Each structure stands twice: as structure tokens, then as C-alpha cells.
Amino acid sequence: MTGVIQRAQAEAITELAPLLGRRNACAAVGVSQATWYRKNRQSPAPVRPVTPRKPHPSALSQAERDHVRAVLNERFADASPATAYFSLLDEGLYLASESTMYRILRRHDEVGRIGAVRPPTRPRPSPVSIHACE
């Protein structure tokens, strides 16, 4: 339905433009002039420049991330980052936030889902026909 209305508006603007001018034709039909030019563009859409993301000013440096990772792997190899975070806070040492610790370990595939190991599935016996047993 919207396509039909847009086509009708475009036709009306094309017919009214030589008489009233493009701006007045768009106003009469109820379409923004920018919308008209965007939809009826003769040239390709402008290319947006790709700008690299700037690191946040308070982000940890690579050396600091390596230090956090080393502490987590040496002292807290079998503990979660949450446990390590609060243990370090109890000692009066703040290296990074808990979520940053998770991010650092996740980037190196060193944190995963912890849970009970599922037992292996037993092979199911093949169904036996009752008629075959008789």
C-alpha cells in the first residue's frame, strides 16, 4: 500500500513541478523536499568514510591488560574472575573491573561456561518388533 501512495505522490510532484516549482510541489503533496531528492537521486549514494574507532581514554593499555591476564592465570587459574576480583579487593589491590577481567579472558578464549559435565548418552537399544519374537 505504501508503494502505491509513494508512486502517486511522485507522479503528482512530477506533474506539478513545472507549474509550481519543486519546493511548492513537494509542499502541496506533503512530501519533504529532502525526501524527494533522496528517493529520486540521479547519482549514487555518497560513500561514507570508514573511520577507525578510537580507544576510550580510560581504557587499559596492552601492558595493563597483559598484567591482569597474568595475575588471573597465575593466582586464580581455577577461580572465576568474580572471585578473583573480590579477593584482590580484599587485599587492597584493584587491577580492573570484574567485567573487564571477563573481557580480557574472553578475548583469549580462557573463560567458558562452567557447569556440571553431562554424562555421555547411552546408546538406545534398537526397537524389536513383537511379531519377530513370536
Side-chain angles (χ1 to χ4, degrees):
M1 185 74 174
T2 311
V4 175
I5 294 171
Q6 287 177 349
R7 257 183 271 128
Q9 287 175 336
E11 288 174 13
I13 292 173
T14 340
E15 290 176 14
L16 291 174
L19 303 171
L20 305 173
R22 181 89 55 211
R23 177 175 293 159
N24 292 331
C26 288
V29 175
V31 175
S32 164
Q33 195 175 358
T35 302
W36 166 260
Y37 281 112
R38 194 177 322 109
K39 301 259 187 221
N40 298 294
R41 179 185 318 239
Q42 300 298 320
S43 61
V47 179
R48 293 185 178 187
V50 178
T51 56
R53 289 184 67 176
K54 296 177 187 174
H56 194 275
S58 63
L60 295 178
S61 67
Q62 186 60 44
E64 291 170 326
R65 286 192 298 261
D66 292 339
H67 177 67
V68 170
R69 183 174 171 225
V71 168
L72 291 174
N73 285 334
E74 290 170 8
R75 291 185 48 199
F76 302 100
D78 294 333
S80 70
T83 305
Y85 173 76
F86 289 110
S87 297
L88 290 170
L89 281 183
D90 288 342
E91 297 170 11
L93 183 62
Y94 179 82
L95 297 178
S97 69
E98 180 183 344
S99 59
T100 300
M101 290 180 181
Y102 272 104
R103 261 187 248 116
I104 291 170
L105 293 177
R106 194 178 311 122
R107 181 169 291 151
H108 297 281
D109 292 328
E110 294 176 355
V111 67
R113 187 159 181 259
I114 300 173
V117 178
R118 292 180 64 193
T121 57
R122 292 181 292 151
R124 294 183 179 209
S126 59
V128 179
S129 173
I130 296 176
H131 299 289
C133 294
E134 291 177 3

